[in-house]
């Protein structure tokens, strides 16, 4: 792991190089709300490096080992949720557009002219911003288990979005272990021992609920991206699990129907995670989309 200065912040990142590179554009993976780069399954990364892609992972701002924006304060989560439901605008510490600029800054620091983007959940929202605001720097977009935030679509329950603020390490590990199962993929389940080991790594590496709330504030303040999605001209693929209990599959379908020419790939038995074996299920379609099939 290493650090670069991007958009005024220090971002933690890691590059996994392909043994035989088949595409000069790397694949940058963007995590979801409050999650860390160490949560990408090694088998998932290895699938794409074996196919000839350099893969880059990083901690978003406010999580993991990247810079935290504690000086910006912690928004009132319940007030944010109420305001978003009412369609009101409200000030937030930063925007999703800033998180997209972080990715561009990472690319600049690593001298990457153009990259493919895989964005999951909140990372999928950031990927949407990259597609309609930074098209010249983007090869192709894979938007996974995400949403356009259109008001007609179901929203995740507030209880599933509220991070626990608990100093008890054991309780946090128990909570995260259970959460990974609750929203996992029934057809691609992660074993208990793997979930507990991952939860332990995440909590001990850096559990920072204040940063999670600021990330959520950015997502809520962004509002509907429907009109902006209609302007996207870069190749775009949407993947969504039919068993996603956090972001309903109708949200992914709406993105695919809105982005001109988008490919739509629903996945039976996939929840709100990248479970073991999913790389073999969806990987061939992704490689075909990237021209490496």
């Amino acid at each position: 792991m290493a650090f670069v200065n991007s958009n005024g912040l220090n971002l933690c990142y890691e590059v996994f190089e392909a043994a035989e590179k088949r595409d000069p554009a790397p694949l940058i993976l963007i995590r979801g709300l409050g999650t860390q780069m160490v949560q990408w399954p090694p088998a998932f990364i290895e699938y794409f490096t074996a196919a000839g892609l350099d893969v880059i992972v990083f901690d978003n701002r406010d999580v993991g080992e990247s810079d935290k924006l504690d000086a910006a304060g912690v928004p009132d989560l319940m007030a944010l949720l109420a305001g978003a439901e009412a369609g009101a605008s409200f000030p937030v510490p930063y925007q999703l557009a800033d998180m997209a600029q972080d990715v561009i800054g990472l690319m600049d620091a690593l001298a990457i002219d153009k990259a493919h983007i895989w964005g999951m959940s909140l990372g999928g929202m950031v990927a949407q911003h990259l597609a309609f605001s930074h098209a010249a720097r983007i090869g192709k977009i894979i938007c996974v288990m995400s949403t356009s935030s259109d008001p007609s679509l179901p929203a995740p329950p507030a209880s599933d979005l509220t991070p626990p603020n608990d100093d008890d390490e054991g309780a946090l590990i128990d909570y995260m272990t259970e959460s990974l199962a609750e929203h996992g993929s029934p057809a691609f389940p992660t074993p208990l021992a793997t979930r507990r080991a991952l939860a332990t790594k995440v909590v001990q590496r850096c559990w920072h609920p204040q940063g999670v709330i600021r990330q959520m504030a950015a997502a809520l303040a962004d509002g509907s991206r429907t009109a902006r999605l209609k302007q996207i001209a870069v190749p775009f693929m949407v993947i969504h699990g039919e068993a996603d209990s956090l972001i309903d599959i109708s949200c992914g379908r709406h993105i695919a129907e809105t982005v001109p020419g988008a490919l739509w790939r629903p996945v039976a038995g996939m929840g709100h995670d990248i479970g073991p074996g999913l790389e073999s299920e969806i990987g061939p379609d992704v490689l075909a989309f990237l021209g490496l099939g």
Side-chain angles (χ1 to χ4, degrees):
M1 298 181 188
F3 292 86
V4 295
N5 185 274
S6 166
N7 200 18
L9 301 171
N10 290 312
L11 298 185
C12 183
Y13 77 98
E14 188 166 3
V15 179
F16 299 87
E17 294 186 354
E20 296 184 23
K21 191 181 301 186
R22 298 176 57 202
D23 190 329
L27 178 64
I28 299 179
L29 308 181
I30 309 177
R31 289 294 309 180
L33 178 69
T35 63
Q36 303 178 29
M37 71 185 200
V38 295
Q39 291 174 257
W40 291 109
F44 175 81
I45 294 173
E46 290 165 6
Y47 181 92
F48 290 104
T49 56
L53 286 165
D54 287 348
V55 175
I56 300 173
V57 301
F58 71 102
D59 285 327
N60 282 309
R61 58 169 64 198
D62 255 340
V63 300
E65 295 187 10
S66 289
D67 277 354
K68 313 301 186 297
L69 285 90
D70 292 339
V74 183
D76 183 328
L77 182 56
M78 292 301 105
L80 290 175
L81 290 167
E85 186 174 353
S89 60
F90 41 85
V92 292
Y94 52 80
Q95 307 279 345
L96 287 185
D98 297 311
M99 297 183 71
Q101 189 62 50
D102 292 348
V103 179
I104 297 300
L106 174 66
M107 293 171 61
D108 289 343
L110 298 180
I112 296 169
D113 177 59
K114 185 170 287 192
H116 305 304
I117 302 294
W118 172 297
M120 63 174 284
S121 199
L122 175 73
M125 301 178 196
V126 175
Q128 292 166 41
H129 272 267
L130 288 166
F132 53 66
S133 296
H134 302 279
R137 303 295 300 277
I138 303 304
K140 297 182 179 181
I141 296 278
I142 304 104
C143 183
V144 186
M145 61 186 81
S146 194
T147 180
S148 63
S149 300
D150 192 273
S152 67
L153 297 170
S159 58
D160 287 330
L161 297 176
T162 308
N165 193 2
D166 196 331
D167 293 329
D168 185 329
E169 183 177 286
L172 281 172
I173 291 171
D174 288 343
Y175 164 83
M176 191 165 293
T177 300
E178 179 57 32
S179 179
L180 290 170
E182 181 182 355
H183 298 300
S185 297
F188 308 91
T190 302
L192 173 60
T194 303
R195 285 187 279 115
R196 180 162 290 278
L198 184 57
T200 301
K201 178 185 287 189
V202 166
V203 170
Q204 293 181 346
R205 184 171 181 258
C206 182
W207 174 246
H208 196 66
Q210 302 96 320
V212 181
I213 293 174
R214 285 189 290 269
Q215 286 188 353
M216 190 183 308
L220 292 171
D222 202 48
S224 174
R225 286 172 296 281
T226 299
R228 290 171 285 178
L229 293 180
K230 293 177 181 178
Q231 303 168 8
I232 290 176
V234 301
F236 204 99
M237 181 180 194
V238 182
I239 298 173
H240 211 112
E242 295 179 356
D244 193 326
S245 61
L246 189 62
I247 297 182
D248 190 80
I249 191 172
S250 61
C251 298
R253 186 181 297 111
H254 183 264
I255 297 172
E257 292 172 348
T258 305
V259 175
L263 297 181
W264 169 232
R265 176 61 159 92
V267 185
M270 175 182 172
H272 201 77
D273 76 339
I274 306 293
L278 257 171
E279 67 279 355
S280 298
E281 171 67 23
I282 60 179
D285 291 335
V286 173
L287 291 179
F289 171 65
L290 295 176
L292 299 174

